[in-house]
């Protein structure tokens, strides 16, 4: 069989077909059913293409053709999916964005094509927005707000935002007047449920393809994505995230977040104080306000790292539309501006287990320890059980051999072409491994990636390693402190053991003198019996092979055919003993 046959399960393609729409079938509309069929139909066609090129053609000796056309086929797939996402909108836009960030799973031909997929769709008619908001509040929109702008401030696949002004009573209670109101797109719950049902079906198909299942747990990946989407369409969850973020930076004058107007917030409508200001990537406006973009880049990077290593609660979608630079009145000793974050629907926590894994990771990198780095990846949960860590260790050894002796600052002087060449080689190696990023780590990497890109746009000379280096040193310092504490605890435990040891030795000696010292060897005897039995069965297996081979040689040579048949017949006895001799042992 051709080696490429392991790439794809040999399930006939007829099993990869659109199934009836099952979830919430009683409430599914014809539009939902059509949407479901369009998604699974698209997936079925793509699976058939994979089956044909990765399994059928190699069986006819056309492996080289399949390999040669793979990159172009992946690009065409990405373009077709891009068109599907734009045509359907809703959750499929999020799927494209999610796929573009899964560099650990998908090849660059796909992620590069989907990077340009924007979360922007035509605005919903204001009449529909009004109806949804009034249904949520139970009062007319004119009673909930003194003024409500019918033209949306921004429109996205899951909802849209409008400027508004609170009523006099709400303004008096909250101390706010101008607000931004986020309203979900009507019917988005049904669209999300439909899309997730289709994606779960596709994930089950993908799990039958060895090329996919050996590298990623597709059903688990969909559930991670589903959890993120459920949080994004629950505006009460976003409101809680905004308040937690504000509390984390309550004592930091560099950062602010909008206030939540709880009286006008529900699961599908969220009202926040209007904090719009200069977009962080508007360098012309920043300079006009007397703000240095380079300083903004440095502060922004520092604040993002504070979220990761100090607060453990990170804004995972820090794109330019979600961050403003707010000029402040010049006070003695106070900052001239601050960063204002908005949109807290996509947040990620850094739990203690992940923090410990990152600490192990940093220590391994500092020591250029390939095995230690693999252990860190396993501790974090990056490597699936089927991972061949030898390949990963070799790739990491190459990494350390080429760049391991350099400090963070020295990496800036390396020829970018060398980085590019190594990155391609290293990425190809890692992509062949069953690597999957846990959801919180994926969002963390997304945040770091967006931060690096935005800072580079603000300051072309910006280097992400400069702000990272102090935090790496702090992690090592914290780890040293933990090691000292662990050593102290272990030393105290050893001291207690040594203190009790003379008394326990005296008790043992006294028992021996009195003839009351005994040993329980029953478990050891049972283990020895098992080992002896295994040894006898191995000897029987060797004897069986010797008799069969000897008898076969006598038959072939024709010297003593009768003796040959006797030897083969007798070989049945040691064979039976080898197979069944230990069945009664427990």
């Amino acid at each position: 069989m051709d080696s490429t046959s392991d790439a794809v399960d040999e399930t006939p393609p007829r099993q990869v077909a659109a199934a009836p729409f099952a979830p919430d079938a009683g409430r599914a509309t014809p539009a939902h059913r059509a949407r479901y069929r369009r998604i699974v139909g698209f997936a079925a066609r793509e699976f058939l293409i994979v089956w044909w090129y990765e399994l059928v053609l190699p069986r006819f000796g056309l492996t080289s053709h399949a390999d040669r056309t793979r990159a172009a086929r992946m690009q065409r797939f990405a373009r077709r999916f891009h068109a599907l996402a734009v045509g359907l909108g809703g959750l499929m836009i999020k799927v494209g964005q999610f796929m573009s960030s899964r560099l650990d799973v998908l090849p660059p031909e796909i992620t590069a094509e989907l990077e340009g997929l924007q979360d922007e769709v035509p605005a919903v008619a204001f009449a529909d927005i009004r109806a949804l908001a009034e249904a949520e509040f139970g009062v007319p929109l004119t009673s909930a707000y003194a003024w409500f702008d019918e033209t949306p401030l921004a429109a996205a696949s899951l909802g849209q935002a409008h400027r508004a002004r609170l009523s006099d009573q709400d303004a008096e209670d909250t101390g706010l007047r101008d607000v931004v109101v986020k309203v979900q797109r009507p019917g988005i719950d049904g669209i999300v449920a439909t899309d997730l049902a289709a994606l779960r079906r596709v994930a089950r198909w993908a799990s039958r393809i060895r090329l996919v299942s050996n590298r990623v747990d597709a059903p688990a990946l969909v559930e991670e994505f589903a959890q993120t989407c459920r949080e994004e369409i629950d505006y009460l969850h976003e409101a809680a995230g905004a308040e937690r973020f504000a509390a984390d930076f309550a004592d930091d004058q560099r950062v602010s977040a909008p206030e939540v107007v709880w009286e006008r917030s529900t699961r599908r409508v969220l009202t926040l104080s209007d904090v719009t200001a200069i977009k962080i990537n508007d360098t012309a406006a920043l300079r006009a306000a007397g703000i240095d973009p380079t300083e903004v880049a440095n502060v922004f990077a520092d604040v993002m790292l504070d979220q990761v290593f100090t607060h453990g609660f990170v804004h995972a979608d820090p794109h330019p539309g979600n961050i403003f630079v707010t000029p402040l009145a010049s006070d003695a000793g106070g900052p001239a501006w601050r960063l204002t974050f908005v949109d807290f629907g996509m947040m990620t926590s850094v739990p203690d287990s992940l923090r410990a894994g990152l600490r192990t990771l940093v220590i391994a990198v500092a020591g250029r320890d390939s095995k230690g780095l693999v252990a860190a990846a396993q501790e974090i949960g990056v490597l699936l059980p089927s991972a061949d860590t030898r390949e990963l260790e070799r790739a990491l050894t190459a990494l350390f051999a080429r760049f391991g002796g350099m400090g963070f600052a020295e990496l800036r002087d390396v020829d970018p072409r060398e980085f590019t060449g190594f990155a391609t080689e290293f990425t190809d190696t890692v992509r062949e491994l069953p690597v999957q990023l846990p959801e919180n780590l994926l969002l963390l990497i997304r945040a770091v990636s967006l931060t690096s890109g935005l800072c580079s746009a603000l300051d072309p000379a910006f280097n992400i390693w400069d702000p990272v280096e102090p935090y790496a040193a702090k992690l090592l310092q914290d780890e040293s402190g933990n090691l000292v504490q662990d050593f102290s605890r272990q030393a105290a435990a050893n001291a207690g053991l040594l203190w009790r040891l003379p008394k326990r030795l005296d008790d043992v000696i006294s028992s021996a003198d009195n003839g009351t010292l005994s040993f329980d060897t029953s478990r050891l005897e049972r283990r020895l019996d098992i080992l002896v039995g295994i040894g006898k069965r191995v000897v029987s297996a060797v004897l069986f092979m010797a008799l069969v081979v000897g008898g076969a040689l006598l038959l072939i040579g024709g010297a003593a055919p009768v003796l040959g048949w006797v030897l083969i017949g007798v070989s049945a006895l040691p064979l039976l003993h080898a197979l069944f001799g230990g069945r009664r042992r427990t």
Side-chain angles (χ1 to χ4, degrees):
M1 183 181 296
D2 196 294
S3 60
T4 57
S5 62
D6 290 337
V8 181
D9 200 334
E10 297 184 31
T11 303
R14 63 177 180 272
Q15 294 189 17
V16 184
F21 183 74
D24 298 327
R27 293 180 293 171
T29 66
H32 290 155
R33 293 177 182 274
R35 184 183 183 93
Y36 179 88
R37 287 193 296 268
R38 186 173 175 184
I39 295 172
V40 296
F42 173 87
R45 288 190 296 272
E46 297 303 323
F47 279 131
L48 280 171
I49 293 173
V50 172
W51 177 82
W52 176 258
Y53 279 94
E54 302 296 339
L55 180 64
V56 176
L57 291 185
R59 291 290 180 87
F60 293 95
L62 297 176
T63 303
S64 59
H65 175 70
D67 294 341
R68 187 172 59 254
T69 60
R70 185 174 292 116
R73 284 187 282 110
M74 288 179 177
Q75 288 178 340
R76 288 195 294 270
F77 160 76
R79 295 192 193 102
R80 289 192 294 269
F81 181 84
H82 190 286
L84 176 75
V86 172
L88 291 177
L91 204 58
M92 300 313 294
I93 297 286
K94 293 290 182 183
V95 172
Q97 293 178 329
F98 188 76
M99 289 169 64
S100 70
S101 66
R102 292 312 300 244
L103 300 177
D104 60 313
V105 175
L106 299 173
E109 292 83 5
I110 294 178
T111 57
E113 177 67 28
L114 297 179
E115 283 177 355
L117 192 61
Q118 298 299 315
D119 190 6
E120 296 179 357
V121 294
V124 177
F126 180 70
D128 296 331
I129 293 294
R130 177 196 292 274
L132 188 148
E134 290 179 346
E136 287 293 297
F137 294 144
V139 298
L141 200 63
T142 53
S143 299
Y145 300 96
W147 169 76
F148 200 100
D149 190 358
E150 296 186 9
T151 303
L153 178 64
S157 60
L158 303 183
Q160 61 190 50
H162 293 256
R163 280 196 169 95
R165 189 172 297 120
L166 293 177
S167 65
D168 292 340
Q169 181 62 51
D170 287 341
E172 182 179 351
D173 292 341
T174 62
L176 302 172
R177 174 64 72 177
D178 295 327
V179 294
V180 171
V181 183
K182 294 181 63 174
V183 184
Q184 279 187 12
R185 298 179 71 88
I188 194 63
D189 285 333
I191 291 175
V192 168
T194 300
D195 290 358
L196 288 178
L199 291 174
R200 289 188 176 101
R201 173 57 59 90
V202 173
R204 289 196 294 271
W205 292 347
S207 65
R208 297 178 61 85
I209 301 176
R210 295 191 185 101
L211 182 67
V212 176
S213 62
N214 287 344
R215 291 165 52 190
V216 62
D217 185 346
L221 195 63
V222 169
E223 293 308 319
E224 291 174 3
F225 176 70
Q227 178 62 27
T228 300
C229 293
R230 284 193 291 266
E231 291 176 352
E232 280 200 79
I233 63 174
D234 183 355
Y235 285 164
L236 294 179
H237 174 83
E238 179 177 344
E243 290 205 332
R244 177 178 171 182
F245 183 90
D248 285 345
F249 288 95
D251 298 327
D252 193 332
Q253 296 182 339
R254 305 171 301 168
V255 185
S256 67
E259 295 183 49
V260 179
V261 182
W262 287 101
E263 295 81 356
R264 290 289 174 254
S265 296
T266 68
R267 195 184 73 85
R268 298 198 291 172
V269 179
L270 176 61
T271 304
L272 303 164
S273 59
D274 189 352
V275 295
T276 53
I278 303 172
K279 287 183 66 172
I280 190 172
N281 66 337
D282 191 345
T283 55
L286 290 175
R287 292 191 178 94
I291 300 173
D292 183 7
T294 299
E295 184 181 357
V296 173
N298 291 327
V299 172
F300 174 54
D302 195 50
V303 167
M304 291 301 297
L305 289 168
D306 274 343
Q307 295 176 42
V308 176
F309 293 107
T310 302
H311 305 297
F313 189 61
V314 183
H315 194 301
D317 196 24
H319 64 73
N322 287 339
I323 306 159
F324 298 104
V325 178
T326 306
L328 302 175
S330 56
D331 297 331
W337 54 271
R338 69 186 175 203
L339 295 172
T340 304
F341 288 74
V342 298
D343 195 350
F344 300 91
M346 188 181 294
M347 305 293 292
T348 184
S349 298
V350 185
D352 292 340
S353 58
L354 178 56
R355 191 185 299 267
L358 293 174
R359 183 180 293 114
T360 305
L361 191 74
V362 169
I363 293 173
V365 170
R368 299 188 287 280
D369 179 7
S370 299
K371 290 186 177 181
L373 200 53
V374 171
Q378 292 172 329
E379 182 177 355
I380 294 171
V382 169
L383 293 178
L384 295 181
S386 58
D388 183 355
T389 58
R390 294 173 299 178
E391 291 293 331
L392 183 56
E393 287 175 16
R394 280 195 288 269
L396 292 171
T397 300
L399 168 67
F400 291 136
R402 295 175 69 174
F403 305 114
M406 301 178 183
F408 287 128
E410 293 177 295
L411 292 176
R412 288 180 299 183
D413 300 327
V414 176
D415 186 345
R417 290 172 297 181
E418 186 177 3
F419 269 129
T420 302
F422 178 79
T424 301
E425 177 186 349
F426 184 77
T427 302
D428 290 343
T429 302
V430 173
R431 190 172 287 114
E432 294 301 321
L433 298 173
V435 176
Q436 177 171 301
L437 299 181
E439 178 66 16
N440 51 7
L441 186 59
L442 167 67
L443 294 178
L444 184 60
I445 292 175
R446 171 185 171 87
V448 172
S449 175
L450 289 174
T451 300
S452 178
L454 184 51
C455 288
S456 298
L458 289 167
D459 176 15
F462 178 82
N463 187 286
I464 189 62
W465 296 111
D466 291 340
V468 165
E469 189 171 18
Y471 283 92
K474 182 178 183 298
L475 280 178
L476 289 171
Q477 183 179 2
D478 292 344
E479 179 65 17
S480 299
N482 292 335
L483 289 175
V484 170
Q485 294 176 4
D486 292 343
F487 179 78
S488 300
R489 286 193 293 268
Q490 188 63 41
N494 291 342
L497 178 62
L498 291 173
W499 176 263
R500 296 188 300 272
L501 186 59
K503 177 67 167 59
R504 300 178 74 174
L505 286 175
D506 182 65
D507 292 342
V508 171
I509 294 172
S510 297
S511 298
D513 289 341
N514 297 332
T516 59
L517 184 65
S518 62
F519 299 93
D520 183 6
T521 62
S522 57
R523 295 179 61 188
L524 178 60
E525 290 173 353
R526 285 196 299 271
R527 290 177 180 269
L528 288 175
D529 287 343
I530 292 173
L531 290 175
V532 170
I534 291 174
K536 291 180 178 178
R537 293 170 64 188
V538 169
V539 171
S540 295
V542 173
L543 181 59
F544 161 73
M545 291 299 300
L547 291 173
V548 169
V549 172
L553 291 175
L554 291 175
L555 288 173
I556 294 172
V562 176
L563 180 58
W565 284 115
V566 170
L567 292 178
I568 292 176
V570 172
S571 70
L573 297 177
L575 174 61
L576 292 174
H577 180 263
L579 293 176
F580 306 107
R583 288 298 176 91
R584 290 181 295 178
R585 283 186 169 87
T586 59

